[in-house]
Amino acid sequence: MAARISLTRYLVEQQHKKDHIPAQLRLLLEVVARACKSISLAVNKGALGGVLGAAGSENVQGEIQKKLDIIANEVLIEANEWGGHLAAMASEEMDGIYVVPHRYPKGEYLLLFDPLDGSSNIDVNVSIGTIFSVLRMPDDDRGVDEADFLQPGRQQVAAGYCVFGPQTTLVLTVGDGVALFTLDREQGSFVLTEEDLRIPADTKEFAANMSNMRHWDAPMTRYIEECLAGKDGPRGKDFNMRWVGSMVADVHRILTRGGIFLYPWDRREPNKPGKLRLMYEANPMAWLVEQAGGAATNGRQRILDIPPGQLHERVSVFLGSKHEVERVTSYHSEL
Ligand code: AHG
Ligand code: MN
Ligand code: MN
């Protein structure tokens, strides 16, 4: 029987064989995985753990926080603040950055996360997850501040997510393809169950919140109308639609069997480029998708090349099977 490869072994081999990741980054990723295990336990307890429902507060983006949004945020901070691998963290659920307290050693990395993605699915027992992105501190001797985080996504050194679904799976890239680990609850460890995930370039499946259709701009409407026209329309094939409403679960399906995920700008809030956040949702997902042979744009440019102006910046997202992303992106440039 082939030996089971744990996340720890995978990371150690990345460190030694490929000289891909420094020890400090390996430690950081192990700690993030440990935090994901503990979030997974809280998610699994559900009503028995008293973790469902609203927290009675709002985040900086004006969204109502669920208890699990706050619990997951706290778990990630407490797990990561003392290990000496980080200088600071940023989260969807915190207004500003969280600088590692002086009583702990300061490391050279920055961690960004969406602690609980798919909040509207928590209370209905549908897949949710945690998304994370790792950047290196820029080289200088100043104290850390928000500007240090404002790096384009192509500078990420690690990115991944954990889905809390029928299984708990961790999907990770350190720039050497995408690997998938499944949580073995008896052993308490993540085990490598698939390496080098590839997204097929073509697909017949799209994921979009269709209830927003009347608010979309012309290129997005054209793309979806052509899909809906099926085999008698310009695409000459029938499309299927899947929409979980948790980005982690929708992207996970696309990494597993292909597809395109679309969350475009819409005219209800014309000054917002989109709903999803660039730094801790779009960037990590875009890098994972590119590492699996797919593409990710905001309709006009590669997501990983966007220079962020602020921590909680929003962005339109088109990602997944390469030929479909290229098509919807070309419709935007024809405007
Ligand atoms: P979050 O729960 O972190 O706020 O993110 C929710 C996001 C994303 O997971 C999903 O794709 C999208 O919001 C769904 O939003 P709508 O149901 O408003 O379309
Ligand atoms: Mn989210
Ligand atoms: Mn969230």
Side-chain angles (χ1 to χ4, degrees):
M1 198 178 85
R4 294 194 349 157
I5 298 178
S6 63
L7 175 67
T8 302
R9 177 168 165 187
Y10 175 86
L11 292 173
V12 167
E13 287 179 356
Q14 285 282 334
Q15 186 188 338
H16 291 159
K17 270 203 307 222
K18 308 200 170 150
D19 209 15
H20 216 84
I21 51 170
Q24 222 185 66
L25 179 55
R26 176 169 68 79
L27 176 65
L28 192 170
L29 294 171
E30 297 237 33
V31 175
V32 170
R34 207 178 308 142
C36 286
K37 270 189 256 178
S38 112
I39 298 168
S40 172
L41 282 173
V43 167
N44 287 163
K45 287 209 173 90
L48 299 176
V51 300
L52 303 184
S57 49
E58 274 190 5
N59 67 15
V60 63
Q61 336 200 15
E63 297 166 336
I64 290 170
Q65 292 176 307
K66 296 287 182 68
K67 285 184 196 162
L68 264 176
D69 289 321
I70 305 215
I71 293 167
N73 194 62
E74 282 169 1
V75 167
L76 281 156
I77 288 179
E78 279 165 20
N80 280 287
E81 67 180 349
W82 50 269
H85 44 272
L86 285 179
M89 295 177 247
S91 161
E92 175 181 300
E93 303 304 341
M94 300 189 292
D95 300 11
I97 64 166
Y98 179 89
V99 178
V100 166
H102 289 306
R103 62 183 181 279
Y104 299 124
K106 181 179 162 207
E108 60 188 86
Y109 291 101
L110 304 171
L111 176 66
L112 299 100
F113 44 85
D114 175 356
L116 209 292
D117 177 68
S119 301
S120 69
N121 281 326
I122 296 171
D123 296 343
V124 291
N125 197 10
V126 171
S127 294
I128 51 182
T130 295
I131 310 173
F132 59 91
S133 160
V134 184
L135 295 164
R136 212 187 301 276
M137 263 288 281
D139 273 340
D140 55 31
D141 54 5
R142 291 176 299 118
V144 57
D145 63 27
E146 191 170 312
D148 294 320
F149 282 82
L150 304 181
Q151 307 177 34
R154 62 172 182 272
Q155 288 176 217
Q156 292 170 102
V157 293
Y161 62 80
C162 190
V163 189
F164 314 117
Q167 304 107 44
T168 290
T169 51
L170 180 78
V171 174
L172 177 71
T173 186
V174 288
D176 182 36
V178 179
L180 188 155
F181 303 84
T182 304
L183 180 61
D184 180 330
R185 288 192 187 280
E186 282 78 43
Q187 301 277 347
S189 65
F190 281 104
V191 178
L192 182 68
T193 43
E194 205 178 329
E195 235 178 323
D196 203 18
L197 272 70
R198 304 303 294 168
I199 301 175
D202 292 298
T203 184
K204 291 176 166 186
E205 198 161 73
F206 67 86
N209 185 341
M210 294 294 292
S211 68
N212 295 332
M213 190 164 183
R214 68 192 183 285
H215 307 297
W216 293 339
D217 63 9
M220 173 67 185
T221 308
R222 174 184 169 193
Y223 177 79
I224 293 293
E225 276 175 348
E226 289 181 358
C227 292
L228 295 177
K231 66 176 180 324
D232 302 326
R235 302 300 310 276
K237 58 182 183 182
D238 289 333
F239 278 78
N240 185 34
M241 193 200 89
R242 282 289 180 274
W243 178 252
V244 178
S246 298
M247 189 192 200
V248 271
D250 283 307
V251 171
H252 191 65
R253 184 187 56 255
I254 287 167
L255 276 163
T256 307
R257 69 176 189 207
I260 178 170
F261 173 93
L262 313 100
Y263 216 113
W265 170 92
D266 88 40
R267 61 175 57 86
R268 284 168 300 179
E269 293 186 281
N271 299 325
K272 266 192 207 160
K275 171 176 179 175
L276 297 174
R277 279 63 48 133
L278 174 63
M279 305 284 298
Y280 38 82
E281 291 179 317
N283 274 341
M285 293 312 204
W287 197 31
L288 286 162
V289 163
E290 284 198 6
Q291 282 287 312
T297 76
N298 66 354
R300 294 172 193 284
Q301 79 181 115
R302 185 179 173 228
I303 283 177
L304 296 181
D305 285 336
I306 299 173
Q310 47 175 309
L311 204 53
H312 299 290
E313 182 162 325
R314 302 198 186 228
V315 66
S316 288
V317 176
F318 303 89
L319 61 77
S321 290
K322 199 164 196 265
H323 293 161
E324 292 302 311
V325 174
E326 285 169 359
R327 175 181 286 268
V328 71
T329 304
S330 76
Y331 290 1
H332 285 77
S333 61
E334 282 170 27
L335 247 194

